[in-house]
Each structure stands twice: as structure tokens, then as C-alpha cells.
Amino acid sequence: MASTWRRIGRIGKLGAALALVASLAGCGLAAAPCRVASAGLKIVPLVGHAAAVPTDACADVIDP
């Protein structure tokens, strides 16, 4: 039984390490709020794309 818990612990540590590496590989996660806001603004007819320009710029600065 102890070896099963040890194996689960190793898998958890490996998962945490992979998540850390993936988050440091790019800043996509940090840019996500800017991208989501931009997509929401672009839905608005006529003025959406113009209103989304600042949030697009925000996302491009964070994650080029």
C-alpha cells in the first residue's frame, strides 16, 4: 500500500514540474486575460475591433 502512495506522489511531483515548465515556456497564461477581453470586445458590432486595439497591444507586449 505504501508503494502505491509513493507512486502517486511521484506522479504528482512530475505533474507539478511539467506545469511549471509549461508556464515558464511562454507567457501565454499571463496574456490570457488580455486575449479574452479582446475577443469579448471584438464581438461588439461596428466598434468592437477598434475598442480591442489596446487589449491586443497588451497581449502582444506580454506574449510577443
Side-chain angles (χ1 to χ4, degrees):
M1 188 71 172
S3 65
T4 302
W5 288 110
R6 204 172 287 151
R7 207 174 285 150
I8 291 171
R10 286 182 186 159
I11 292 171
K13 287 178 186 176
L14 178 63
L18 288 174
L20 179 66
V21 169
S23 69
L24 294 177
C27 297
L29 186 62
C34 294
R35 302 230 186 257
V36 170
S38 175
L41 287 170
K42 287 179 182 176
I43 294 172
V44 178
L46 301 176
V47 296
H49 287 283
V53 170
T55 54
D56 285 336
C58 162
D60 288 339
V61 167
I62 294 172
D63 189 22

